[in-house]
Amino acid sequence: NTLKALKYKGRLWPAFAPESIRGVETFKSRDGDAIVVAYPKSGTHWVWEMTRLLQAGKTDVPMIEKDDGMIEDVLPEKLESQSSPRALNTHAHFELMPKEVLNKKNCKLIYVTRDPRDVAVSYFNHHRKLVQYYEYKGQWKDYFPLYLSGKVDYESWFAYTRGWEQGIKDNPDLQVHVTSYEALHENTNEEVKKLAQFLGASTDETFISDVVKMTSFDSMKVSKGKNETFKGKDQTEAPIMYRKGKVGDWKNWFTVAQSEQFNAVFDREMVGTMAFELYSHTKQDQ
Ligand code: A3P
């Protein structure tokens, strides 16, 4: 019951990009860069798409993939060749962020968090469908303990989240905008507007509502999903990065016992954090 991953700098990363991973160390940050930082399956594609449309100031832009801006997945020289302002993303833990980003503090970071139970379900489907990379064939009941103990690429959600929260606290001069998958769902217009303000982009009402429309789950599933490289083993499968796009799908997957087990770990690992404030009140839902 394990999945294939790449060990680098003491942590597990996805196995599919052994050549580009060095970019995590050598990345050259530029003024104007916006980097979406999130644990996998937290809405990275969604927020990255919003970010690049906001940066462009228009919604009529050529289709490119979120993974074209993924620091650990694109060769450094290719990232260098992109013109500014760049929309980038990474799932790196805070302490493994490219040094320049943390030292120069010239990039804008967009930190996205999501209910770790929905992340678990989404990540399970990701690992199962990308069997050609992860060679994972376990069932949900097998995957659940793997996720809880962080034996997946990017490791523990709990450690990732604590690390970023602490990193943001300890570095008040970093330019960081914090949002969550749930807030984006509940109040999409308002959240996109806040993101626009943070990026120094236009907050024109029509533009904001166009960005909201272009980045809706249904429209991204068609406009992006059809063309993205990451497809399931069977290339005719539904786009895997646009699975369900809902809040609370974990309730369809977690057993009562799994829910109790999850809550015990969540309480122990997260007490005193922002994530605890965000998600502990929904713990009783089942
Ligand atoms: P589900 O598997 O729960 O559907 P990431 O981009 O970080 O890999 O996150 C993927 C998750 O975000 C998936 O969750 C995916 O369906 C959801 N998602 C992708 N695009 C979205 C959008 N435009 N609106 C809402 N959710 C979206």
Side-chain angles (χ1 to χ4, degrees):
N1 186 36
T2 53
L3 53 81
K4 195 170 153 197
L6 180 75
K7 191 98 179 178
Y8 180 72
K9 305 210 103 207
R11 287 222 182 262
L12 296 176
W13 302 75
F16 49 72
E19 312 84 27
S20 53
I21 193 95
R22 64 192 155 91
V24 172
E25 281 182 278
T26 60
F27 176 76
K28 303 256 167 292
S29 67
R30 280 187 217 152
D31 294 359
D33 284 344
I35 312 180
V36 178
V37 296
Y39 188 83
K41 314 322 287 176
S42 302
T44 323
H45 287 73
W46 192 14
V47 177
W48 179 82
E49 189 69 9
M50 288 171 174
T51 300
R52 79 175 186 115
L53 297 182
L54 291 170
Q55 280 178 324
K58 55 184 183 179
T59 50
D60 180 19
V61 292
M63 141 85 193
I64 53 168
E65 298 185 35
K66 171 247 165 211
D67 292 336
D68 294 332
M70 187 174 180
I71 295 176
E72 60 270 44
D73 192 27
V74 180
L75 288 172
E77 39 284 19
K78 238 178 133 186
L79 280 185
E80 286 283 305
S81 70
Q82 291 182 12
S83 54
S84 290
R86 295 182 299 184
L88 304 164
N89 62 88
T90 178
H91 300 311
H93 283 236
F94 182 83
E95 81 273 10
L96 294 181
M97 278 298 279
K99 284 186 196 64
E100 279 213 347
V101 173
L102 301 182
N103 293 338
K104 281 198 185 166
K105 302 182 164 70
N106 57 345
C107 304
K108 296 196 173 178
L109 305 181
I110 301 134
Y111 172 75
V112 190
T113 192
R114 186 181 189 188
D115 188 320
R117 296 163 297 185
D118 283 338
V119 171
V121 169
S122 186
Y123 217 6
F124 169 65
N125 283 283
H126 173 103
H127 284 129
R128 277 299 305 257
K129 287 179 195 155
L130 290 171
V131 66
Q132 68 271 43
Y133 299 111
Y134 294 107
E135 298 171 6
Y136 187 66
K137 298 202 173 109
Q139 303 299 309
W140 166 246
K141 69 171 173 29
D142 310 312
Y143 184 82
F144 181 75
L146 215 60
Y147 174 80
L148 264 195
S149 57
K151 293 194 181 87
V152 293
D153 42 333
Y154 301 106
E155 303 192 4
S156 154
W157 179 91
F158 307 98
Y160 176 93
T161 305
R162 280 197 316 266
W164 266 98
E165 286 198 21
Q166 195 60 45
I168 292 170
K169 241 186 241 158
D170 293 345
N171 294 275
D173 46 352
L174 271 178
Q175 308 177 64
V176 192
H177 175 71
V178 176
T179 187
S180 71
Y181 188 86
E182 293 75 22
L184 285 157
H185 250 273
E186 203 171 305
N187 213 342
T188 318
N189 245 76
E190 221 22 64
E191 284 297 317
V192 173
K193 208 164 161 185
K194 281 193 219 160
L195 181 56
Q197 275 158 356
F198 172 72
L199 293 169
S202 164
T203 53
D204 172 79
E205 294 295 335
T206 315
F207 175 54
I208 296 294
S209 83
D210 284 349
V211 171
V212 170
K213 271 185 231 138
M214 289 287 289
T215 58
S216 76
F217 181 79
D218 290 339
S219 68
M220 279 181 68
K221 187 169 181 169
V222 175
S223 67
K224 316 260 335 190
K226 274 200 310 198
N227 303 310
E228 284 178 357
T229 324
F230 269 144
K231 298 223 169 58
K233 196 161 56 88
D234 173 0
Q235 296 282 309
T236 59
E237 244 180 67
I240 74 143
M241 297 298 167
Y242 309 93
R243 187 187 63 96
K244 207 161 178 185
K246 294 269 187 299
V247 172
D249 188 37
W250 67 271
K251 290 173 205 163
N252 299 315
W253 293 74
F254 278 50
T255 63
V256 172
Q258 285 172 337
S259 192
E260 284 169 5
Q261 202 187 339
F262 179 89
N263 289 348
V265 176
F266 182 83
D267 285 354
R268 188 181 71 225
E269 300 264 351
M270 301 312 289
V271 67
T273 62
M274 178 191 84
F276 189 84
E277 296 304 311
L278 277 178
Y279 302 119
S280 67
H281 68 283
T282 63
K283 274 193 333 200
Q284 303 316 321
D285 299 356
Q286 178 66 40

mmCIF file of all heavy atoms in Angstrom, residues 11-38:
data_model
loop_
_atom_site.group_PDB
_atom_site.id
_atom_site.type_symbol
_atom_site.label_atom_id
_atom_site.label_comp_id
_atom_site.label_asym_id
_atom_site.label_seq_id
_atom_site.Cartn_x
_atom_site.Cartn_y
_atom_site.Cartn_z
ATOM 1 N N ARG A 11 12.025 15.449 1.423
ATOM 2 C CA ARG A 11 10.568 15.305 1.324
ATOM 3 C C ARG A 11 10.176 14.536 0.080
ATOM 4 O O ARG A 11 10.947 14.434 -0.866
ATOM 5 C CB ARG A 11 9.899 16.676 1.281
ATOM 6 C CG ARG A 11 9.914 17.400 2.609
ATOM 7 C CD ARG A 11 8.572 18.070 2.862
ATOM 8 N NE ARG A 11 8.568 18.808 4.116
ATOM 9 C CZ ARG A 11 8.078 18.332 5.252
ATOM 10 N NH1 ARG A 11 7.565 17.131 5.317
ATOM 11 N NH2 ARG A 11 8.093 19.073 6.343
ATOM 12 N N LEU A 12 8.944 14.029 0.073
ATOM 13 C CA LEU A 12 8.427 13.315 -1.090
ATOM 14 C C LEU A 12 7.759 14.287 -2.054
ATOM 15 O O LEU A 12 6.910 15.094 -1.651
ATOM 16 C CB LEU A 12 7.398 12.274 -0.653
ATOM 17 C CG LEU A 12 7.908 11.129 0.226
ATOM 18 C CD1 LEU A 12 6.749 10.219 0.653
ATOM 19 C CD2 LEU A 12 8.978 10.315 -0.493
ATOM 20 N N TRP A 13 8.158 14.201 -3.306
ATOM 21 C CA TRP A 13 7.593 15.016 -4.391
ATOM 22 C C TRP A 13 7.024 14.060 -5.428
ATOM 23 O O TRP A 13 7.359 12.879 -5.412
ATOM 24 C CB TRP A 13 8.702 15.866 -5.034
ATOM 25 C CG TRP A 13 9.414 16.781 -4.096
ATOM 26 C CD1 TRP A 13 10.341 16.418 -3.158
ATOM 27 C CD2 TRP A 13 9.272 18.200 -3.979
ATOM 28 N NE1 TRP A 13 10.785 17.535 -2.482
ATOM 29 C CE2 TRP A 13 10.152 18.645 -2.970
ATOM 30 C CE3 TRP A 13 8.495 19.150 -4.656
ATOM 31 C CZ2 TRP A 13 10.269 19.984 -2.605
ATOM 32 C CZ3 TRP A 13 8.622 20.488 -4.296
ATOM 33 C CH2 TRP A 13 9.489 20.901 -3.277
ATOM 34 N N PRO A 14 6.241 14.568 -6.385
ATOM 35 C CA PRO A 14 5.735 13.644 -7.404
ATOM 36 C C PRO A 14 6.887 13.070 -8.226
ATOM 37 O O PRO A 14 7.885 13.743 -8.451
ATOM 38 C CB PRO A 14 4.807 14.495 -8.268
ATOM 39 C CG PRO A 14 4.995 15.900 -7.839
ATOM 40 C CD PRO A 14 5.736 15.926 -6.555
ATOM 41 N N ALA A 15 6.690 11.859 -8.673
ATOM 42 C CA ALA A 15 7.780 11.164 -9.368
ATOM 43 C C ALA A 15 7.938 11.615 -10.810
ATOM 44 O O ALA A 15 8.921 11.290 -11.448
ATOM 45 C CB ALA A 15 7.521 9.664 -9.311
ATOM 46 N N PHE A 16 6.974 12.389 -11.315
ATOM 47 C CA PHE A 16 6.986 12.623 -12.762
ATOM 48 C C PHE A 16 7.928 13.710 -13.246
ATOM 49 O O PHE A 16 8.056 13.915 -14.429
ATOM 50 C CB PHE A 16 5.565 12.863 -13.294
ATOM 51 C CG PHE A 16 4.741 13.866 -12.528
ATOM 52 C CD1 PHE A 16 5.009 15.201 -12.601
ATOM 53 C CD2 PHE A 16 3.673 13.424 -11.750
ATOM 54 C CE1 PHE A 16 4.233 16.121 -11.909
ATOM 55 C CE2 PHE A 16 2.885 14.327 -11.053
ATOM 56 C CZ PHE A 16 3.173 15.684 -11.126
ATOM 57 N N ALA A 17 8.610 14.434 -12.363
ATOM 58 C CA ALA A 17 9.419 15.534 -12.855
ATOM 59 C C ALA A 17 10.824 15.568 -12.242
ATOM 60 O O ALA A 17 11.228 16.571 -11.658
ATOM 61 C CB ALA A 17 8.697 16.854 -12.594
ATOM 62 N N PRO A 18 11.591 14.500 -12.389
ATOM 63 C CA PRO A 18 12.895 14.454 -11.730
ATOM 64 C C PRO A 18 13.890 15.505 -12.243
ATOM 65 O O PRO A 18 14.794 15.896 -11.519
ATOM 66 C CB PRO A 18 13.403 13.030 -12.018
ATOM 67 C CG PRO A 18 12.621 12.558 -13.180
ATOM 68 C CD PRO A 18 11.308 13.261 -13.136
ATOM 69 N N GLU A 19 13.703 16.003 -13.489
ATOM 70 C CA GLU A 19 14.678 16.958 -14.036
ATOM 71 C C GLU A 19 14.355 18.385 -13.592
ATOM 72 O O GLU A 19 15.244 19.210 -13.413
ATOM 73 C CB GLU A 19 14.706 16.950 -15.577
ATOM 74 C CG GLU A 19 14.789 15.588 -16.234
ATOM 75 C CD GLU A 19 13.413 14.937 -16.365
ATOM 76 O OE1 GLU A 19 12.413 15.673 -16.438
ATOM 77 O OE2 GLU A 19 13.337 13.690 -16.359
ATOM 78 N N SER A 20 13.101 18.691 -13.441
ATOM 79 C CA SER A 20 12.732 20.080 -13.162
ATOM 80 C C SER A 20 12.751 20.402 -11.671
ATOM 81 O O SER A 20 12.743 21.577 -11.297
ATOM 82 C CB SER A 20 11.344 20.375 -13.728
ATOM 83 O OG SER A 20 10.433 19.419 -13.271
ATOM 84 N N ILE A 21 12.822 19.393 -10.838
ATOM 85 C CA ILE A 21 12.693 19.606 -9.395
ATOM 86 C C ILE A 21 13.774 20.555 -8.856
ATOM 87 O O ILE A 21 13.552 21.299 -7.917
ATOM 88 C CB ILE A 21 12.708 18.241 -8.656
ATOM 89 C CG1 ILE A 21 12.263 18.380 -7.213
ATOM 90 C CG2 ILE A 21 14.040 17.555 -8.722
ATOM 91 C CD1 ILE A 21 10.835 18.106 -7.023
ATOM 92 N N ARG A 22 14.933 20.593 -9.534
ATOM 93 C CA ARG A 22 16.015 21.473 -9.083
ATOM 94 C C ARG A 22 15.605 22.956 -9.110
ATOM 95 O O ARG A 22 16.204 23.792 -8.443
ATOM 96 C CB ARG A 22 17.288 21.253 -9.904
ATOM 97 C CG ARG A 22 17.126 21.603 -11.367
ATOM 98 C CD ARG A 22 18.305 21.097 -12.200
ATOM 99 N NE ARG A 22 17.899 20.899 -13.584
ATOM 100 C CZ ARG A 22 17.985 21.842 -14.526
ATOM 101 N NH1 ARG A 22 18.472 23.028 -14.254
ATOM 102 N NH2 ARG A 22 17.567 21.579 -15.758
ATOM 103 N N GLY A 23 14.565 23.260 -9.886
ATOM 104 C CA GLY A 23 14.078 24.635 -9.951
ATOM 105 C C GLY A 23 13.642 25.155 -8.598
ATOM 106 O O GLY A 23 13.631 26.367 -8.347
ATOM 107 N N VAL A 24 13.298 24.244 -7.709
ATOM 108 C CA VAL A 24 12.889 24.659 -6.374
ATOM 109 C C VAL A 24 14.033 25.405 -5.677
ATOM 110 O O VAL A 24 13.814 26.289 -4.859
ATOM 111 C CB VAL A 24 12.452 23.420 -5.550
ATOM 112 C CG1 VAL A 24 12.196 23.764 -4.116
ATOM 113 C CG2 VAL A 24 11.228 22.787 -6.178
ATOM 114 N N GLU A 25 15.277 25.055 -6.048
ATOM 115 C CA GLU A 25 16.427 25.747 -5.454
ATOM 116 C C GLU A 25 16.896 26.916 -6.290
ATOM 117 O O GLU A 25 17.354 27.919 -5.773
ATOM 118 C CB GLU A 25 17.579 24.762 -5.302
ATOM 119 C CG GLU A 25 17.416 23.858 -4.110
ATOM 120 C CD GLU A 25 18.606 22.932 -3.976
ATOM 121 O OE1 GLU A 25 18.611 21.903 -4.672
ATOM 122 O OE2 GLU A 25 19.506 23.262 -3.198
ATOM 123 N N THR A 26 16.816 26.754 -7.621
ATOM 124 C CA THR A 26 17.483 27.736 -8.484
ATOM 125 C C THR A 26 16.539 28.809 -9.024
ATOM 126 O O THR A 26 16.980 29.721 -9.711
ATOM 127 C CB THR A 26 18.126 27.014 -9.695
ATOM 128 O OG1 THR A 26 17.069 26.356 -10.422
ATOM 129 C CG2 THR A 26 19.141 25.971 -9.244
ATOM 130 N N PHE A 27 15.280 28.712 -8.715
ATOM 131 C CA PHE A 27 14.267 29.632 -9.249
ATOM 132 C C PHE A 27 14.653 31.096 -9.052
ATOM 133 O O PHE A 27 15.033 31.518 -7.968
ATOM 134 C CB PHE A 27 12.931 29.350 -8.554
ATOM 135 C CG PHE A 27 11.839 30.294 -8.939
ATOM 136 C CD1 PHE A 27 11.197 30.174 -10.160
ATOM 137 C CD2 PHE A 27 11.451 31.322 -8.080
ATOM 138 C CE1 PHE A 27 10.186 31.057 -10.523
ATOM 139 C CE2 PHE A 27 10.440 32.206 -8.431
ATOM 140 C CZ PHE A 27 9.803 32.069 -9.654
ATOM 141 N N LYS A 28 14.553 31.866 -10.130
ATOM 142 C CA LYS A 28 14.838 33.310 -10.055
ATOM 143 C C LYS A 28 13.518 34.068 -10.006
ATOM 144 O O LYS A 28 12.757 34.055 -10.957
ATOM 145 C CB LYS A 28 15.602 33.763 -11.315
ATOM 146 C CG LYS A 28 16.901 33.016 -11.547
ATOM 147 C CD LYS A 28 18.084 33.892 -11.154
ATOM 148 C CE LYS A 28 19.387 33.126 -11.070
ATOM 149 N NZ LYS A 28 19.480 32.150 -9.984
ATOM 150 N N SER A 29 13.292 34.721 -8.887
ATOM 151 C CA SER A 29 12.023 35.436 -8.757
ATOM 152 C C SER A 29 12.125 36.809 -9.414
ATOM 153 O O SER A 29 13.201 37.385 -9.509
ATOM 154 C CB SER A 29 11.645 35.564 -7.289
ATOM 155 O OG SER A 29 12.554 36.406 -6.619
ATOM 156 N N ARG A 30 10.980 37.301 -9.859
ATOM 157 C CA ARG A 30 10.931 38.611 -10.528
ATOM 158 C C ARG A 30 9.819 39.444 -9.922
ATOM 159 O O ARG A 30 8.791 38.888 -9.518
ATOM 160 C CB ARG A 30 10.536 38.426 -11.995
ATOM 161 C CG ARG A 30 11.617 38.012 -12.887
ATOM 162 C CD ARG A 30 11.049 38.072 -14.316
ATOM 163 N NE ARG A 30 11.574 36.984 -15.104
ATOM 164 C CZ ARG A 30 10.926 36.441 -16.135
ATOM 165 N NH1 ARG A 30 9.731 36.873 -16.487
ATOM 166 N NH2 ARG A 30 11.481 35.463 -16.809
ATOM 167 N N ASP A 31 10.006 40.753 -9.942
ATOM 168 C CA ASP A 31 8.906 41.638 -9.557
ATOM 169 C C ASP A 31 7.721 41.304 -10.455
ATOM 170 O O ASP A 31 7.903 41.055 -11.646
ATOM 171 C CB ASP A 31 9.277 43.113 -9.786
ATOM 172 C CG ASP A 31 10.400 43.554 -8.856
ATOM 173 O OD1 ASP A 31 10.853 42.730 -8.039
ATOM 174 O OD2 ASP A 31 10.818 44.712 -8.974
ATOM 175 N N GLY A 32 6.552 41.286 -9.898
ATOM 176 C CA GLY A 32 5.361 41.031 -10.719
ATOM 177 C C GLY A 32 4.945 39.567 -10.734
ATOM 178 O O GLY A 32 3.827 39.245 -11.127
ATOM 179 N N ASP A 33 5.841 38.664 -10.315
ATOM 180 C CA ASP A 33 5.455 37.251 -10.247
ATOM 181 C C ASP A 33 4.337 37.065 -9.226
ATOM 182 O O ASP A 33 4.378 37.657 -8.139
ATOM 183 C CB ASP A 33 6.630 36.377 -9.751
ATOM 184 C CG ASP A 33 7.690 36.130 -10.809
ATOM 185 O OD1 ASP A 33 7.410 36.361 -12.006
ATOM 186 O OD2 ASP A 33 8.793 35.691 -10.428
ATOM 187 N N ALA A 34 3.370 36.238 -9.582
ATOM 188 C CA ALA A 34 2.352 35.820 -8.601
ATOM 189 C C ALA A 34 2.447 34.312 -8.509
ATOM 190 O O ALA A 34 2.436 33.623 -9.538
ATOM 191 C CB ALA A 34 0.967 36.251 -9.052
ATOM 192 N N ILE A 35 2.573 33.802 -7.295
ATOM 193 C CA ILE A 35 2.730 32.352 -7.122
ATOM 194 C C ILE A 35 1.591 31.819 -6.256
ATOM 195 O O ILE A 35 1.412 32.254 -5.112
ATOM 196 C CB ILE A 35 4.075 32.002 -6.444
ATOM 197 C CG1 ILE A 35 5.247 32.735 -7.112
ATOM 198 C CG2 ILE A 35 4.292 30.489 -6.467
ATOM 199 C CD1 ILE A 35 6.611 32.435 -6.484
ATOM 200 N N VAL A 36 0.810 30.913 -6.827
ATOM 201 C CA VAL A 36 -0.247 30.255 -6.044
ATOM 202 C C VAL A 36 0.420 29.135 -5.258
ATOM 203 O O VAL A 36 1.087 28.280 -5.834
ATOM 204 C CB VAL A 36 -1.354 29.687 -6.956
ATOM 205 C CG1 VAL A 36 -2.414 28.964 -6.128
ATOM 206 C CG2 VAL A 36 -1.989 30.801 -7.793
ATOM 207 N N VAL A 37 0.271 29.182 -3.941
ATOM 208 C CA VAL A 37 0.868 28.153 -3.086
ATOM 209 C C VAL A 37 -0.263 27.416 -2.373
ATOM 210 O O VAL A 37 -1.139 28.031 -1.767
ATOM 211 C CB VAL A 37 1.896 28.747 -2.088
ATOM 212 C CG1 VAL A 37 3.068 29.358 -2.826
ATOM 213 C CG2 VAL A 37 1.281 29.764 -1.141
ATOM 214 N N ALA A 38 -0.252 26.095 -2.495
ATOM 215 C CA ALA A 38 -1.354 25.306 -1.933
ATOM 216 C C ALA A 38 -0.936 23.856 -1.831
ATOM 217 O O ALA A 38 -0.145 23.379 -2.662
ATOM 218 C CB ALA A 38 -2.583 25.405 -2.841
#
